[in-house]
Amino acid sequence: MLTPFALRAVARLSTRTFLAVRSSAHTAILLNTQTRSFLTTSRRESPAKANEELVQVRKVTKTTTKTAVKKPAIKKAAPKKPKVKKAKDKVTVPRGTTPPKGPGGPFMLFFTDFKNRTKPTVTRDEIVELSKSAAAEWHTLSDAQKEVYTKKSGALKEQHDVELKQWLESLDPQVLKELNKRRVKYGKRKLVLKSTGPKRPAGPFFMFLQDFRKEYFIQHPPVAGSTRITESTKVAAEAWRAMAPEAKEVYVKKSAAEWDNWRKTQELEAKA
C-alpha cells in the first residue's frame, strides 16, 4: 500500500508526462503546418506531398477512363525570307550642270540695244517702265528695221543649237536622265539630243502647205510678230478641202514615196 504522499508524487509524475507528451504532439503538428518568422516562412512539406499524391491519383483515373486521342501534327510553314531590295546607285548631278542659255527673240535683242542706249543701269522698279517705253518704240519701227533683229535672232539660235548639241553629247546619259527629272518636276522641258539622221517626211497636206505658202507669202509677206503663218494655214486648209481628188493624189503619191525611202534608210542604219 502506498502512502498518501507517494500517491501524490505518482499523480504529479503522470500529469507531467502527460503534459510532456501533449506538448511534443503539439509541436509536431506545428512543424507540419506553416510556421512564420520575422525573416522567412518555412515550407509545408507534408501537405505538399499529399497534394502530389492526389494529383497522381487524378492522372491515373483520367488515363484509365478516357482514351487519349492524338491530334494530327500541324506542319509549320517555313518562315519567308525577307526580300532584299537592291540598292540603286544614286546619280549625283554636279554643280553648275546647266545647259547653255538660249538667245532671246527679236524684241529681246532690240530691248537690249534700247536699254544700253537709254539707261544701262536699271533697278528692278525701273525695268517695268523701261520695257513699256521699249515696246512703244518697237511698234514704231518699220518692217525692214525689225527684220534686222529677226535675222540676228535666227543666227544666234543656230549657234545655240550647235552649242547645246555639243553640251548634250559631252554629258553622261545617267546625269542627263536625272537632270531631266528635276526639270520636269519644276515644269521645264526635257533636254533631248536631236537625231542627226534624215527627218521624217511630211504627209500629203503638209507637202501641199509648203507649196501653197511659197505663193501666199509673195502676195502677203510675213512680218515679225504677225499672224501670217496662222492665216496661211487656215487658207491652205480651205483650199485643200476644195481640191479635186486627182490633184490630191499627186501629193499622196509623193508622200508615200518619201516614206518608203525613209523606212529603207532606217532599216539600213539599224543593221549597221
Side-chain angles (χ1 to χ4, degrees):
M1 291 293 292
L2 295 173
T3 60
F5 179 77
L7 289 171
R8 288 178 186 174
V10 170
R12 287 176 183 173
L13 287 171
S14 61
T15 52
R16 285 178 182 176
T17 53
F18 173 75
L19 290 172
V21 171
R22 186 180 176 183
S23 63
S24 62
H26 184 64
T27 52
I29 291 167
L30 289 174
L31 287 172
N32 289 332
T33 57
Q34 189 175 5
T35 57
R36 297 186 65 186
S37 65
F38 289 102
L39 299 175
T40 58
T41 302
S42 62
R43 293 184 179 180
R44 296 176 62 185
E45 295 181 357
S46 58
K49 290 180 181 179
N51 289 333
E52 289 178 2
E53 291 176 358
L54 286 172
V55 170
Q56 289 177 359
V57 171
R58 285 175 184 173
K59 285 182 179 179
V60 171
T61 54
K62 282 183 179 180
T63 52
T64 53
T65 54
K66 294 182 180 180
T67 56
V69 179
K70 290 184 179 180
K71 293 182 180 180
I74 300 170
K75 292 182 179 179
K76 292 183 179 179
K80 293 182 180 180
K81 294 181 179 179
K83 293 181 180 180
V84 180
K85 292 183 179 180
K86 293 182 179 179
K88 294 182 180 180
D89 296 334
K90 192 174 182 180
V91 180
T92 56
V93 180
R95 285 188 177 183
T97 308
T98 53
K101 194 174 181 181
F107 174 73
M108 290 304 298
L109 296 175
F110 167 76
F111 176 74
T112 305
D113 292 344
F114 180 82
K115 176 176 166 294
N116 294 333
R117 188 174 70 249
T118 55
K119 202 170 185 180
T121 56
V122 184
T123 60
R124 287 187 177 182
D125 298 332
E126 295 173 346
I127 195 72
V128 178
E129 296 297 329
L130 190 66
S131 301
K132 289 179 181 179
S133 56
E137 187 174 333
W138 171 261
H139 290 301
T140 59
L141 295 178
S142 62
D143 295 342
Q145 289 174 329
K146 290 181 179 179
E147 190 67 23
V148 175
Y149 293 100
T150 303
K151 289 180 179 179
K152 189 177 179 181
S153 175
L156 290 173
K157 189 178 182 304
E158 290 178 359
Q159 184 181 353
H160 172 261
D161 291 342
V162 174
E163 292 176 357
L164 181 63
K165 183 184 175 183
Q166 292 175 354
W167 182 80
L168 288 171
E169 287 176 350
S170 64
L171 204 63
D172 186 13
Q174 295 296 328
V175 175
L176 179 61
K177 188 177 179 180
E178 185 66 24
L179 188 64
N180 280 330
K181 282 183 182 178
R182 296 183 184 182
R183 289 177 66 88
V184 171
K185 184 179 178 181
Y186 292 106
K188 296 181 180 180
R189 294 175 64 183
K190 287 185 177 181
L191 298 170
V192 183
L193 184 63
K194 294 180 180 179
S195 61
T196 56
K199 293 183 179 180
R200 286 191 174 193
F205 170 71
F206 286 99
M207 287 185 174
F208 165 74
L209 181 63
Q210 290 173 1
D211 295 341
F212 181 83
R213 278 177 176 170
K214 290 176 184 177
E215 298 178 1
Y216 184 83
F217 286 149
I218 293 171
Q219 299 175 1
H220 308 85
V223 181
S226 66
T227 58
R228 297 285 171 82
I229 294 174
T230 308
E231 292 173 2
S232 65
T233 306
K234 290 180 180 178
V235 176
E238 293 175 0
W240 176 261
R241 292 191 198 98
M243 190 181 291
E246 294 81 8
K248 287 183 180 179
E249 191 66 24
V250 177
Y251 293 100
V252 172
K253 289 180 179 179
K254 186 179 178 181
S255 176
E258 289 189 6
W259 271 100
D260 290 338
N261 293 331
W262 182 81
R263 289 192 185 96
K264 287 178 182 178
T265 53
Q266 291 293 317
E267 289 175 0
L268 291 172
E269 287 180 0
K271 289 178 181 178

